[in-house]
Amino acid sequence: MSSPTVVIMAAGQGTRMRSRVPKVLHPICGRAMALWPVHAALEAGAGRVIVVGGPDRALEPVLPDGVVLAVQERPLGTGDAVRSAAEHIGDDDTVVVLSGDVPLITPEAIRALADAHEASGSRATMATMVLDDPSGYGRVVRAADGSVERVVETKAAGDATEAELEIREVNTGVYAFAGGPLLEQLAALGNDNAQGEYYLPDVLPGLRPVGAYVLDDPTLMLGVNDRLDLEAVRVHAQRRILDAHARNGVTFVSPQTTVVDVGVTIGPDTVVEQGCTLAGETTIGAGCTIGPHTTIRDSAIGDDVTIRHSWLDGARVDAGATVGPFAYLRPNAHLRERAKAGTFVEIKNSDIGEGTKVPHLSYIGDAEIGPGTNIGASNVTANYDGERKHRTTIGAGVRTAVDTTFVAPVTVGDGAYTAAGSVVVSDVPPGALAVARSRQTNIEGYAERRRRPDRRASE
Ligand code: UD1
Ligand code: CA
């Protein structure tokens, strides 16, 4: 079988979304809508993928390498959209046309359509489906021999007759064509219809007999015209992502409350508890426990990590480490193997050594902490002088007591200690104890004097 040329129409305005963002750029599970059919086409083994976009070229920065943007100067209709990609279509190509607002199409469906088309020898094959409520779609009029005669549009009054509106078989907006004949028909296409648009289905009568490839799963062809459609499509896309992970050995305790973006990878035997969001370019190893109620974005998590009730963004957590409950790991927080970031702990741009623990109520920013160190409760790196950030360096096997403040830049040597409540402003040599607080003074009899002020006057 050949590698089809795939054209994805994505230059329409999408006014029904009521959005400043072009419709096809709205994200679905972490990927722009129009990129869903793009990836499906690439996975289906497309020889060439062309996306038709508007002159603002808004789509261009998000297209995968090798995918070409063809610009449609004005949205004159779907026929004109495909015509805008004409220079990329070869006479001998099998051309599959998809819509950027029909994101759930699968690589398998694209392959099956292209295969059915090539096997039939037809010049055009249209994917159709039969709907209980066909409103809004173009209706398929079949010829006496069972082939597709034409499509009647229904969006604007005047294109379809009463009898045609009764038809429940609809055009999905997905087609396969023989390249040369398609180009000929596009060149001759007119716009004499109710909307004054160049309708792509109007090429079909000139390519008869046209085959129909009837899809039995209409969810593959759900279109997005407004935000309600977007919600519906999202549910299917999310289900598909979770199912794929589950087949690979991931447990989702509460799939209904779990959000996993399309770019996320998860190792087997990882359990994701309820209320978790795994977003962006996140990788999670095997045997982890994630959640409940944890958000992880653009982070790399190793094997056998436990993360509870926490928020991670741009962090790296190595094997066997534990996070939370209620930890906040910000960009470039790196917990090395078996390290711990505990309760009410915030870490950013810091390297936490192997087996090092930051168990309670601490802020660690712009720091480097060696292996086997224990950070006491409520330790804070004072990393910002109001203008610049400074680094704190803490060695291996250090024991810091509660309420130690490190005024950066400062270095604490290996095996050193700090005393509780210390404000460490100068370097601490290895093995030393830093006591950086004022000496305690006890005022004897103070309470008694407070209770009996008259005694003081008479004394
Ligand atoms: C189209 C079909 C209809 C079919 C339906 C399936 C036509 C005329 N009608 O209708 O038979 O049942 O899809 O969903 O083709 N686009 C462009 N440039 C344009 C116009 C549209 O790139 O000038 C793109 C849109 O961004 C969208 C796709 O083409 O991704 C379909 O356009 P849309 O206006 O949504 O067509 P429908 O009215 O849904
Ligand atoms: Ca549409």
Side-chain angles (χ1 to χ4, degrees):
M1 285 292 146
S2 72
S3 306
T5 295
V6 179
V7 177
I8 298 163
M9 305 178 288
Q13 283 155 330
T15 48
R16 281 170 286 178
M17 292 293 282
R18 301 191 182 281
S19 176
R20 283 178 293 183
V21 179
K23 174 170 77 175
V24 295
L25 282 178
H26 278 255
I28 299 171
C29 302
R31 177 186 279 166
M33 190 187 304
L35 293 188
W36 282 81
V38 168
H39 281 271
L42 292 171
E43 281 170 42
R48 214 173 312 154
V49 179
I50 302 105
V51 175
V52 180
D56 61 1
R57 307 183 85 93
L59 274 164
E60 203 163 38
V62 298
L63 293 180
D65 285 349
V67 173
V68 174
L69 180 79
V71 173
Q72 184 188 20
E73 290 300 336
R74 280 178 299 151
L76 299 177
T78 49
D80 185 67
V82 177
R83 192 155 56 192
S84 307
E87 62 174 300
H88 304 286
I89 296 173
D91 285 340
D92 299 327
D93 293 357
T94 291
V95 181
V96 172
V97 175
L98 308 176
S99 288
D101 65 349
V102 180
L104 293 174
I105 186 146
T106 59
E108 295 74 26
I110 295 171
R111 268 281 28 123
L113 171 67
D115 289 350
H117 169 77
E118 289 178 1
S120 73
S122 306
R123 291 179 294 170
T125 306
M126 184 171 65
T128 75
M129 58 187 173
V130 178
L131 298 178
D132 291 337
D133 174 12
S135 54
Y137 287 90
R139 309 295 206 281
V140 178
V141 177
R142 296 265 194 163
D145 65 359
S147 68
V148 173
E149 189 174 289
R150 63 199 162 88
V151 173
V152 279
E153 292 306 320
T154 59
K155 209 154 77 176
D159 281 337
T161 66
E162 284 295 318
E164 285 163 347
L165 286 172
E166 295 293 308
I167 299 171
R168 294 196 301 117
E169 185 179 15
V170 303
N171 170 21
T172 60
V174 170
Y175 321 75
F177 295 101
L182 170 65
L183 292 172
E184 279 170 31
Q185 292 300 316
L186 286 174
L189 196 61
N191 63 351
D192 182 16
N193 53 53
Q195 297 190 88
E197 284 188 3
Y198 296 91
Y199 292 161
L200 179 60
D202 285 353
V203 303
L204 297 174
L207 298 172
R208 281 198 294 245
V210 174
Y213 180 78
V214 186
L215 284 172
D216 44 14
D217 181 0
T219 58
L220 297 186
M221 292 300 163
L222 285 175
V224 178
N225 292 319
D226 60 25
R227 305 257 184 175
L228 297 176
D229 296 335
L230 183 63
E231 285 174 16
V233 160
R234 219 198 137 273
V235 169
H236 289 287
Q238 186 62 91
R239 190 72 246 186
R240 208 186 270 175
I241 292 167
L242 295 183
D243 288 355
H245 287 297
R247 280 191 207 96
N248 290 335
V250 178
T251 295
F252 296 103
V253 172
S254 174
Q256 307 86 327
T257 64
T258 302
V259 172
V260 179
D261 277 357
V262 68
V264 173
T265 64
I266 311 176
D269 277 329
T270 284
V271 177
V272 181
E273 309 263 10
Q274 70 271 22
C276 290
T277 297
L278 310 178
E281 301 295 313
T282 289
T283 60
I284 294 179
C288 296
T289 302
I290 308 294
H293 304 293
T294 289
T295 296
I296 305 179
R297 172 175 292 281
D298 297 331
S299 296
I301 312 300
D303 295 338
D304 303 310
V305 168
T306 299
I307 304 178
R308 297 201 187 279
H309 259 285
S310 291
W311 188 288
L312 285 73
D313 182 4
R316 181 174 154 195
V317 179
D318 293 347
T322 63
V323 178
F326 311 112
Y328 179 23
L329 301 191
R330 293 166 50 199
N332 295 319
H334 179 190
L335 297 194
R336 292 184 184 261
E337 287 186 23
R338 296 180 315 285
K340 172 174 181 160
T343 309
F344 304 118
V345 167
E346 174 177 342
I347 301 178
K348 79 126 224 229
N349 194 29
S350 293
D351 189 324
I352 311 299
E354 254 181 64
T356 286
K357 295 185 166 44
V358 189
H360 333 273
L361 299 156
S362 290
Y363 170 63
I364 306 294
D366 304 303
E368 198 170 313
I369 307 181
T373 283
N374 194 81
I375 302 294
S378 283
N379 279 203
V380 170
T381 52
N383 58 327
Y384 187 48
D385 62 13
E387 276 159 33
R388 282 180 306 140
K389 302 283 172 63
H390 301 281
R391 291 196 73 80
T392 299
T393 306
I394 299 175
V398 172
R399 299 283 175 269
T400 72
V402 297
D403 261 319
T404 303
T405 298
F406 302 93
V407 181
V410 73
T411 298
V412 178
D414 292 347
Y417 287 72
T418 67
S422 289
V423 177
V424 177
V425 295
S426 42
D427 292 355
V428 182
L433 166 68
V435 187
R437 63 185 188 216
S438 53
R439 226 167 245 289
Q440 183 169 334
T441 311
N442 293 335
I443 302 176
E444 299 285 347
Y446 172 79
E448 179 68 12
R449 284 205 302 281
R450 261 180 79 98
R451 264 199 304 277
R452 303 182 56 188
D454 52 309
R455 280 269 296 268
R456 208 181 323 163
S458 65
E459 266 168 8

